[in-house]
Amino acid sequence: QVQLVESGGGLVQAGGSLRLSCAASGRTFVNYAMGWFRQAPGKEREFVARIMWSGGSTYYADSVKGRFVISRDNAKITVYLQMDSLKPEDTAVYYCAAAASYRAWGLSDSRTYNYWGQGTQVTVSS
């Protein structure tokens, strides 16, 4: 099976930065894309960013554009999320995910992703 292991979450002050990492392990798989989602208390899981594994094209939710950067390490099969200028509204559990293939829902929809990490808490204090 495929496992995604996340790290890098924590508590920071508003305006600070965090770098999340998510490394894939276990069974090899076709990596079409990897992404980050987040879920705040009482809210639905929302798309944050994604990156295509081949080519590395990126796409971001409007709420994080200009502040977050997603990147990848092909050799490690690892995806990163550099988060700068953090705001209290960024507080959430952040999940990384991997998609094995194209699906009609698109890559901003959580249903497209086949594998998920356990989640890591990001808390931004004001």
Side-chain angles (χ1 to χ4, degrees):
Q1 64 174 343
V2 175
Q3 292 180 324
L4 303 179
V5 180
E6 300 161 325
S7 62
L11 190 154
V12 296
Q13 289 187 330
S17 299
L18 282 174
R19 181 172 176 262
L20 306 183
S21 300
C22 178
S25 63
R27 194 191 82 239
T28 57
F29 67 102
V30 177
N31 196 348
Y32 177 65
M34 294 185 71
W36 290 94
F37 291 76
R38 66 187 183 186
Q39 189 165 22
K43 292 190 174 183
E44 295 184 6
R45 188 168 299 187
E46 69 169 340
F47 168 78
V48 176
R50 60 82 173 158
I51 186 167
M52 308 304 296
W53 207 252
S54 296
S57 65
T58 59
Y59 185 75
Y60 300 89
D62 288 342
S63 60
V64 305
K65 285 180 180 177
R67 300 189 298 120
F68 292 8
V69 176
I70 188 170
S71 61
R72 57 165 163 75
D73 185 324
N74 296 54
K76 296 180 179 179
I77 313 179
T78 300
V79 65
Y80 305 94
L81 187 68
Q82 178 66 45
M83 304 185 294
D84 297 327
S85 301
L86 283 162
K87 305 174 180 179
E89 50 262 46
D90 295 318
T91 295
V93 177
Y94 283 69
Y95 299 89
C96 67
S101 65
Y102 164 85
R103 300 182 79 176
W105 290 301
L107 290 167
S108 296
D109 193 310
S110 62
R111 293 172 292 180
T112 295
Y113 295 81
N114 305 93
Y115 309 104
W116 292 85
Q118 78 285 357
T120 185
Q121 178 70 48
V122 172
T123 303
V124 184
S125 62
S126 60

